[in-house]
């Protein structure tokens, strides 16, 4: 960013301060809960450890760690996580992050392709932290990432603007059913901030078209979106991937709500579709509608409770307000959900 005039960066810096509504929720992750989270998942090098996946680290986890440490108002932890992310993952020429870092492998980066949702999370957290803590260097880096995302992963398809999951492997000429997208990669709350960092009408179109895709993606008896979808013709589950509403997809309702998208029909359909007969949020086989795996961790279960809060004013049960982190991913979702409710719907606590 050295060739970008400083006044432009300062202008973006000022604009980022003004987007509290776009950032949707600058809620608080409690000091206690953040301490529990980092004791479990943040090691001394600054990497967030995915302890359910061979203790690897990935750009998604680093992005979540940055966002949560910002929401906990902990600049020191944020800088530690950013230091690892910057030195170990930002090794590509385009300014995006390599998605996978394995402590058991040499070299540690075992796949240099990016994961677009991880890059969005990193840029989003850098922009929020930079604007709040007066760190121009954070905003400069967020600008670079956002511009690269816009150039390499935001694409037009038959009049729609969509998000490629990575720069390689999912676009035209790379698969017969291309493009292939992952609906859970739309981090709706971050897209207005991306538009400030890398000005383009494509960001607003990306948000609008992503929401439209969720409304029409109704596969199988439970009418759920697929984890991976082909848009070559009309949306359908992509070939070569499990035909499921899986671990990634369960966060879709949370992302919608954190962006203040309270679409009753959509949220109700998602909630009913991903809940098994016993009332437990689950992964779902799209073809049969059968439960593949119940997800009993409070970090998963809280999502349905937050939907109930948003749509009906139902209070969250004590079981999901307590935080006892065990696994990285549901623990992350739980803190994001609690932070949202504390800021936007404290009446549900």
């Amino acid at each position: 960013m050295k060739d970008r005039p400083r006044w432009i960066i300062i202008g973006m810096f000022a604009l980022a301060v003004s987007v509290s509504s776009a950032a949707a929720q600058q809620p608080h992750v409690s000091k206690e809960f953040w301490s529990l989270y980092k004791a479990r998942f943040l090691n001394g090098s600054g990497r967030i450890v995915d302890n359910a996946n061979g203790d690897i680290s990935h750009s998604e986890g680093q992005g979540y760690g940055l966002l949560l440490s910002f929401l906990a108002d902990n600049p020191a932890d944020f800088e530690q996580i950013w230091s690892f992310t910057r030195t170990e993952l930002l090794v590509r020429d385009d300014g995006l992050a390599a998605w996978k870092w394995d402590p058991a492998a040499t070299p540690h980066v075992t796949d240099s392709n990016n994961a677009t949702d991880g890059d969005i999370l990193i840029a989003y957290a850098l922009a929020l932290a930079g604007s709040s803590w007066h760190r121009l260097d954070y905003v400069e880096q967020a600008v670079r990432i956002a511009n690269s995302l816009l150039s390499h992963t935001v694409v037009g398809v038959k009049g729609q603007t969509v998000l490629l999951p990575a720069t390689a492997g999912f676009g035209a000429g790379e698969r017969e059913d291309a493009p292939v997208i992952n609906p859970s990669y739309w981090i709706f709350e971050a897209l207005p901030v991306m538009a400030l960092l890398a000005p383009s009408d494509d960001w607003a179109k990306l948000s609008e078209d992503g929401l439209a895709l969720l409304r029409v993606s109704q596969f199988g008896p439970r009418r759920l979106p697929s984890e991976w979808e082909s848009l070559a013709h009309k949306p359908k589950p992509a070939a070569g991937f499990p035909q499921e509403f899986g671990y990634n997809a369960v966060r879709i309702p949370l992302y919608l709500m954190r962006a203040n998208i309270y679409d009753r029909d959509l949220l109700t359909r998602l909630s009913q579709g991903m809940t098994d007969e016993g009332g437990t949020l689950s992964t779902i086989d799209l073809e049969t509608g059968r439960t593949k795996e119940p997800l009993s961790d409070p970090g998963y279960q809280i999502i349905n409770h937050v939907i109930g809060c948003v749509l009906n004013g139902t209070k969250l049960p004590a079981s999901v307000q307590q935080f006892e982190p065990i696994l990285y991913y549901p623990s992350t979702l739980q803190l994001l959900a609690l932070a949202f409710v504390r800021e936007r719907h404290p009446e549900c606590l």
Side-chain angles (χ1 to χ4, degrees):
M1 298 309 303
K2 292 181 180 179
D3 59 343
R4 182 177 290 270
R6 186 174 179 82
W7 66 268
I8 295 179
I9 296 294
I10 292 172
M12 290 178 177
F13 183 74
L15 282 171
V17 177
S18 72
V19 298
S20 58
S21 61
Q25 320 49 284
Q26 296 194 14
H28 297 291
V29 169
S30 73
K31 302 295 185 185
E32 175 191 0
F33 285 1
W34 173 245
S35 293
L36 290 170
Y37 183 93
K38 72 177 187 178
R40 187 83 177 185
F41 308 117
L42 175 60
N43 78 5
S45 69
R47 72 182 186 94
I48 300 294
V49 177
D50 185 345
N51 63 337
N53 195 16
D55 287 344
I56 69 167
S57 293
H58 34 65
S59 57
E60 170 208 274
Q62 296 304 114
Y64 279 141
L66 290 169
L67 182 56
L68 290 174
S69 60
F70 166 73
L71 295 177
D73 193 26
N74 195 315
D77 288 340
F78 187 99
E79 177 60 30
Q80 183 185 35
I81 298 167
W82 170 234
S83 177
F84 178 89
T85 307
R86 183 179 66 247
T87 58
E88 297 293 327
L89 297 185
L90 290 178
V91 294
R92 296 165 50 101
D93 293 337
D94 57 8
L96 302 179
W99 83 269
K100 183 177 181 182
W101 192 98
D102 189 341
T106 303
H108 294 306
V109 172
T110 57
D111 188 342
S112 61
N113 202 7
N114 76 306
T116 300
D117 63 330
D119 292 307
I120 292 174
L121 284 165
I122 292 167
Y124 180 48
L126 285 167
L128 296 181
S131 66
S132 294
W133 298 335
H134 307 292
R135 288 289 301 264
L136 190 59
D137 57 323
Y138 290 167
V139 180
E140 288 177 327
Q141 189 64 56
V143 167
R144 185 182 183 204
I145 295 170
N147 275 293
S148 189
L149 286 167
L150 183 63
S151 297
H152 300 297
T153 68
V154 179
V155 299
V157 181
K158 299 177 181 177
Q160 291 182 307
T161 301
V162 301
L163 191 69
L164 295 178
T167 60
F170 300 93
E174 297 178 288
R175 295 175 54 100
E176 291 185 3
D177 60 350
V180 166
I181 56 112
N182 187 317
S184 78
Y185 279 33
W186 265 258
I187 306 171
F188 288 98
E189 68 184 278
L191 299 184
V193 177
M194 298 302 103
L196 294 174
L197 298 169
S200 170
D201 293 339
D202 285 346
W203 296 109
K205 188 75 162 49
L206 180 65
S207 184
E208 294 168 5
D209 290 343
L211 185 57
L213 278 170
L214 286 174
R215 288 173 174 149
V216 300
S217 295
Q218 303 184 30
F219 305 118
R222 289 183 178 259
R223 300 168 56 217
L224 288 169
S226 178
E227 189 102 328
W228 299 94
E229 292 186 19
S230 165
L231 303 182
H233 302 290
K234 66 179 182 179
K236 68 176 184 179
F241 294 95
Q243 309 293 291
E244 67 178 8
F245 182 89
Y247 285 94
N248 286 311
V250 299
R251 62 192 172 180
I252 292 172
L254 180 60
Y255 281 169
L256 291 169
M257 293 183 291
R258 281 186 56 87
N260 293 331
I261 301 172
Y262 297 172
D263 182 318
R264 179 174 289 272
D265 290 342
L266 176 57
L267 289 172
T268 300
R269 173 167 58 83
L270 292 172
S271 179
Q272 292 175 347
M274 67 187 187
T275 305
D276 68 15
E277 293 74 8
T280 300
L281 189 150
S282 307
T283 61
I284 302 295
D285 180 274
L286 291 178
E287 184 176 5
T288 65
R290 294 175 183 161
T291 295
K292 294 189 71 173
E293 183 178 353
L295 304 175
S296 58
D297 190 291
Y300 297 121
Q301 295 303 312
I302 195 173
I303 296 173
N304 267 337
H305 292 298
V306 177
I307 294 173
C309 164
V310 164
L311 297 184
N312 305 311
T314 307
K315 290 187 177 294
L316 271 62
S319 60
V320 299
Q321 294 192 49
Q322 299 166 353
F323 184 61
E324 299 175 0
I326 298 174
L327 297 176
Y328 144 78
Y329 182 53
S331 297
T332 298
L333 298 182
Q334 186 176 7
L335 285 191
L336 289 173
L338 286 172
F340 164 69
V341 174
R342 286 185 183 126
E343 176 67 12
R344 308 298 295 183
H345 294 278
E347 72 277 8
C348 293
L349 297 175

